[in-house]
Amino acid sequence: MNLELDETQSLLRDTLREYLEAELPFDRIRELERERRWDDALWKAVASHGWLSLPFPEAQGGGGGSVLDAGILIEEFARRAAL
């Protein structure tokens, strides 16, 4: 299995990383963790970009992405929460 990112996957990673850094400051992450809740506006924005539907088949309204694409999403969300 090739785990090298292609150009589109690299763009996805970079775009999501930049978006999360701009829209989700670290102190906001910790605040949400303390309050045990999520940022509804952030999740709506992430969904509106199509990132949450990316790994699902196009026939079911998804983006038709791969398992690797889903991994990129998970990694970037986890990366932002851990920094």
Side-chain angles (χ1 to χ4, degrees), residues 19-67:
Y19 179 82
L20 291 173
E21 287 174 359
E23 297 298 321
L24 190 59
F26 190 66
D27 58 336
R28 179 73 175 137
I29 295 168
R30 294 299 171 241
E31 175 187 338
L32 293 166
E33 287 177 340
R34 277 192 306 277
E35 296 173 2
R36 294 185 175 201
R37 63 186 188 88
W38 63 88
D39 187 328
D40 193 49
L42 174 69
W43 282 104
K44 286 180 182 176
V46 168
S48 74
H49 287 292
W51 291 324
L52 298 181
S53 65
L54 179 64
F56 299 102
E58 289 178 2
Q60 296 174 344
S66 67
V67 171

Side-chain angles (χ1 to χ4, degrees), residues 61-75:
S66 67
V67 171
L68 184 54
D69 295 333
I72 292 167
L73 296 172
I74 293 166
E75 182 177 29

